[in-house]
C-alpha cells in the first residue's frame, strides 16, 4: 500500500496530465461506443415552434431527424454524381455507406464517428478514387456531418477528441496508407475545426442558459418560501402581542374577582386561583414558544395594534402621499375580534401600498362590509396615470411606520394578505380588472362564538 502511494506521488505532473487526457479520450470515444442513444424529439413548447398550430407542432418535434435524413440524402447524391448515372452494384454500395454513417448518428452517435473514419479509405478504394486521399467527396461531406451531429449530441469535450482523432487518422492515412498524389487532410481539419467550434459555442451557450434558467427557478422558489415565512413571522409577532394582552387581562381579572364578592366561598376562590395560574402558565409558555419568531432587534410596539377604527387615519395618510382614496362602510358597524380587525387593517394597508407602488396616479376605493357571517373587504384601483403628486411630508401609518414611497415593490404584498386571510379561515381574490386596474377582495368569517368570547374577555 505504501509503495503504491509513493509511486503515484513520484509521478511527474506531465505524466498525470497525459493520464487524465487519455482517460478523457477513453471516456468520451471508447466507453459505451456501441450504446444505443436515439435522438430525442425537439422541444416544441419553447422557441418559434410554440407558435405553430397543435397539429403541426406534433410533427415539428421530428425536425432534427428530418435534417439528418436530408443531409444523408445529399451525401448519397454527391456519391452518385461521380458515376454520371452509370452506376453498378459497387458504386451503389460506395454511395450508400457514407450516407448510412450519417443516418447512424440518429441511434448510435459515437459508433457513427468510428464508422465514418473506418469506411472512408474503403469507399475510396472501392470507387477507384485516387485523389484527395483519404476522403472522397461524399466521405468528406459525410464525416463533416457526422462530426457536427455527434458534437451537438454530446459534451463539448467530445468535439475536441473527435477533431484530434480525425487529425491522427489523417496523419496515419497520409503516411502509411497513401494512395494517389493528393490529400484532403488539411481542408478536412480546417473545416472540421470551424464546424466543431461553432457547434461547441452554441452548445456551451445553451447549457449556460439552462443552468441560469434552473438557478432562477430555484431562486424564485426559495424567494417565495422565504417571503411566506417572513409574512407568517410578522403575523405571529402581531398575534403574539394580541393573545398576550388577552391572557394578561384574564389573569388580572381572575386575581381580582374574589375581592369583588363579599365572603366568597373557598371553592370560588380556588376556582379563580386555578384560572389565574393556568392563564399565567399559558402566557409564559406562549412567550417562550412564540418569542422565538421575534428578530433580535425587534421591539414590541408601545402603542396598541391598529384596528378598523384606525382606517380613517390610514386613508388620510395615503391621501397625503398623493393617492386619491374613497372609503365606504356598509352594514352595522360592530366590534370584531382583535385578531380579525388587525388582519383586516393590514390587508387594507398593504393593498393601498401596492397601489402607490404599482399604479401611481390611480384612484382607489376601499369598501368595508359588516355582514352577518363576517367581514368583507374590497380594495380596487383604476389604471396608472403617471407620477403621483409629491407628498408634503413622509406619510406614516397609525402604528408609527413610514409609508413606503411610490416605487416598484418586490411583489410580496399579495402573499402576506393571502396568508392572513387563510389563517382566519377566509377567502381572498386578487386579479386585474377589465379597465387596467386591480382589485383585491377578501371575506373573513366571524361567528357568534368568536364575538361572545371577545365580549367576555373585555
Amino acid at each position: 500500500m505504501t509503495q503504491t502511494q509513493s509511486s503515484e506521488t513520484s509521478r511527474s505532473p506531465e505524466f498525470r496530465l497525459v493520464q487524465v487526457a487519455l482517460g478523457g479520450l477513453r471516456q468520451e470515444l471508447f466507453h459505451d461506443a456501441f450504446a444505443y442513444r436515439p435522438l430525442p424529439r425537439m422541444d416544441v413548447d419553447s422557441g418559434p415552434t410554440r407558435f405553430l398550430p397543435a397539429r403541426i407542432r406534433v410533427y415539428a418535434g421530428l425536425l432534427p431527424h428530418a435534417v439528418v435524413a436530408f443531409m444523408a440524402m445529399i451525401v448519397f447524391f454527391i456519391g452518385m454524381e461521380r458515376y454520371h448515372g452509370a452506376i453498378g452494384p459497387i458504386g451503389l454500395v460506395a454511395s450508400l455507406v457514407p450516407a448510412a454513417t450519417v443516418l447512424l448518428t440518429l441511434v448510435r452517435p459515437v459508433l457513427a464517428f468510428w464508422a465514418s473514419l473506418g469506411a472512408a479509405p474503403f469507399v475510396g478504394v472501392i470507387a477507384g478514387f485516387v485523389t484527395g486521399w483519404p476522403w472522397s467527396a461524399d466521405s468528406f461531406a459525410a464525416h463533416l456531418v457526422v462530426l457536427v451531429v455527434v458534437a451537438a449530441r454530446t459534451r463539448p469535450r467530445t468535439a475536441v477528441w473527435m477533431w484530434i482523432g480525425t487529425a491522427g487518422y489523417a496523419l496515419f492515412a497520409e503516411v502509411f496508407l497513401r494512395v494517389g498524389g493528393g490529400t484532403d487532410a488539411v481542408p478536412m481539419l480546417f473545416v472540421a475545426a470551424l464546424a466543431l467550434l461553432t457547434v461547441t459555442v452554441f452548445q456551451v451557450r445553451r447549457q449556460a442558459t439552462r443552468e441560469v434558467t434552473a438557478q432562477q427557478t430555484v431562486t424564485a422558489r426559495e424567494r417565495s418560501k422565504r417571503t411566506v415565512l417572513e409574512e407568517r413571522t410578522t403575523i405571529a409577532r402581531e398575534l403574539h402581542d394580541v393573545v398576550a394582552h388577552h391572557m394578561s387581562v384574564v389573569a388580572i381579572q381572575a386575581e381580582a374577582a374574589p375581592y369583588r364578592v363579599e365572603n366568597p366561598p373557598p371553592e370560588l376562590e380556588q376556582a379563580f386561583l386555578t384560572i389565574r395560574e393556568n392563564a399565567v402558565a399559558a402566557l409564559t409558555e406562549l412567550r417562550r414558544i412564540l418569542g422565538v419568531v421575534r428578530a433580535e432587534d425587534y421591539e414590541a410596539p408601545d402603542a396598541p395594534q391598529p384596528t378598523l377604527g384606525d382606517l380613517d387615519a390610514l386613508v388620510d395618510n395615503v391621501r397625503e402621499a398623493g393617492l386619491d382614496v374613497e372609503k365606504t362602510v356598509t352594514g352595522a358597524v360592530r366590534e370584531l375580534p382583535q385578531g380579525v380587525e388587525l388582519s383586516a387593517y393590514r390587508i387594507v394597508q398593504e393593498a393601498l401600498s401596492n397601489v402607490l407602488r404599482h399604479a401611481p396616479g390611480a384612484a382607489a376605493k376601499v369598501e368595508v362590509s359588516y355582514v352577518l357571517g363576517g367581514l368583507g373587504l374590497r380594495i380596487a384601483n383604476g389604471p396608472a396615470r403617471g407620477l403621483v403628486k409629491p407628498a408634503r411630508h413622509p406619510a406614516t401609518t397609525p402604528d408609527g411606520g413610514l409609508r413606503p414611497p411610490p416605487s416598484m415593490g418586490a411583489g410580496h404584498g399579495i402573499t402576506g394578505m393571502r396568508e392572513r386571510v387563510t389563517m382566519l379561515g377566509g377567502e381572498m381574490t386578487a386579479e386585474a380588472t377589465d379597465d387596467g386596474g386591480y382589485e383585491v377582495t377578501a371575506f373573513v368569517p366571524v361567528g357568534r362564538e368568536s364575538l361572545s368570547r371577545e365580549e367576555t374577555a373585555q
Side-chain angles (χ1 to χ4, degrees):
M1 185 68 178
T2 305
Q3 294 179 353
T4 303
Q5 293 179 348
S6 61
S7 62
E8 290 180 356
T9 55
S10 62
R11 292 173 179 173
S12 63
E14 292 79 5
F15 178 82
R16 290 196 296 269
L17 181 62
V18 173
Q19 188 179 23
V20 171
L22 294 178
L25 174 63
R26 183 176 64 253
Q27 178 67 25
E28 300 298 332
L29 296 182
F30 291 97
H31 184 65
D32 293 335
F34 294 89
Y36 178 70
R37 302 172 185 174
L39 180 64
R41 295 172 64 96
M42 184 179 66
D43 182 17
V44 296
D45 295 329
S46 61
T49 55
R50 70 180 184 273
F51 300 108
L52 295 174
R55 291 181 296 179
I56 301 178
R57 195 163 57 234
V58 173
Y59 300 101
L62 298 175
L63 180 61
H65 305 75
V67 172
V68 174
F70 179 73
M71 297 305 298
M73 184 176 62
I74 291 179
V75 169
F76 176 75
F77 285 131
I78 292 176
M80 293 279 292
E81 185 183 5
R82 65 172 174 263
Y83 297 100
H84 303 288
I87 183 172
I90 296 179
L92 181 62
V93 171
S95 300
L96 285 175
V97 169
T101 59
V102 174
L103 293 176
L104 188 61
T105 58
L106 295 174
V107 290
R108 303 183 190 276
V110 179
L111 179 61
F113 167 74
W114 292 115
S116 178
L117 284 182
F122 294 100
V123 171
V125 171
I126 292 175
F129 187 76
V130 295
T131 59
W133 183 260
W135 286 283
S136 60
D138 51 347
S139 296
F140 189 98
H143 192 65
L144 287 178
V145 174
V146 168
L147 290 177
V148 171
V149 175
V150 176
R153 297 195 57 193
T154 55
R155 293 181 292 183
R157 189 172 61 179
T158 306
V160 178
W161 285 119
M162 286 193 301
W163 189 89
I164 294 176
T166 301
Y169 173 78
L171 179 63
F172 175 80
E174 177 68 19
V175 174
F176 298 100
L177 303 177
R178 185 176 181 85
V179 177
T183 177
D184 278 344
V186 175
M188 167 61 75
L189 296 180
F190 178 75
V191 177
L194 292 180
L196 292 176
L197 180 61
T198 303
V199 173
T200 302
V201 169
F202 278 101
Q203 194 175 19
V204 170
R205 184 178 180 274
R206 182 177 57 184
Q207 182 64 26
T209 302
R210 290 177 179 174
E211 293 178 357
V212 170
T213 303
Q215 186 63 35
Q216 289 177 346
T217 303
V218 173
T219 302
R221 194 175 303 162
E222 294 297 328
R223 187 185 299 114
S224 177
K225 292 181 180 179
R226 185 175 65 251
T227 300
V228 172
L229 292 177
E230 291 175 355
E231 295 294 341
R232 291 180 178 177
T233 301
T234 303
I235 296 172
R237 291 172 182 170
E238 295 175 348
L239 292 183
H240 172 270
D241 298 332
V242 173
V243 175
H245 167 73
H246 286 291
M247 295 301 296
S248 300
V249 171
V250 171
I252 294 174
Q253 289 182 346
E255 184 177 9
Y259 299 99
R260 297 181 180 180
V261 181
E262 185 177 357
N263 299 324
E267 294 82 2
L268 183 62
E269 291 184 353
Q270 183 61 36
F272 281 116
L273 178 61
T274 303
I275 293 175
R276 181 184 181 280
E277 291 177 351
N278 289 334
V280 172
L283 184 61
T284 303
E285 189 69 16
L286 179 67
R287 287 175 175 171
R288 183 180 68 83
I289 296 177
L290 295 185
V292 300
V293 303
R294 297 185 184 275
E296 296 181 358
D297 56 348
Y298 173 79
E299 296 181 1
D302 297 331
Q305 295 285 5
T307 62
L308 290 175
D310 299 313
L311 279 183
D312 292 333
L314 172 64
V315 171
D316 291 339
N317 284 329
V318 174
R319 286 172 181 162
E320 291 292 334
L323 181 64
D324 184 13
V325 184
E326 178 184 350
K327 176 193 169 188
T328 304
V329 179
T330 59
V333 179
R334 63 184 185 275
E335 190 171 357
L336 301 176
Q338 189 171 358
V340 174
E341 295 216 1
L342 171 61
S343 296
Y345 177 89
R346 294 302 187 194
I347 291 172
V348 176
Q349 182 186 34
E350 186 62 38
L352 293 178
S353 298
N354 286 342
V355 177
L356 284 172
R357 294 189 186 101
H358 305 293
K365 295 181 180 180
V366 177
E367 298 179 4
V368 181
S369 302
Y370 291 87
V371 296
L372 184 61
L375 178 70
L377 298 173
R378 179 177 177 270
I379 306 94
N381 63 273
R385 299 178 181 175
L387 299 176
V388 299
K389 59 183 180 182
R392 291 191 295 270
H393 55 79
T396 58
T397 59
D399 52 340
L402 284 177
R403 166 72 49 203
S407 62
M408 292 302 294
H412 301 326
I414 301 297
T415 302
M417 289 186 279
R418 201 177 300 279
E419 285 292 323
R420 292 181 182 275
V421 174
T422 302
M423 176 194 65
L424 298 173
E427 298 179 354
M428 172 185 158
T429 60
E431 57 188 3
T433 57
D434 296 336
D435 61 351
Y438 206 79
E439 181 183 69
V440 175
T441 60
F443 176 78
V444 179
V446 180
R448 296 180 178 271
E449 296 179 358
S450 300
L451 292 175
S452 62
R453 286 196 301 266
E454 186 74 14
E455 295 172 356
T456 303
Q458 295 177 355

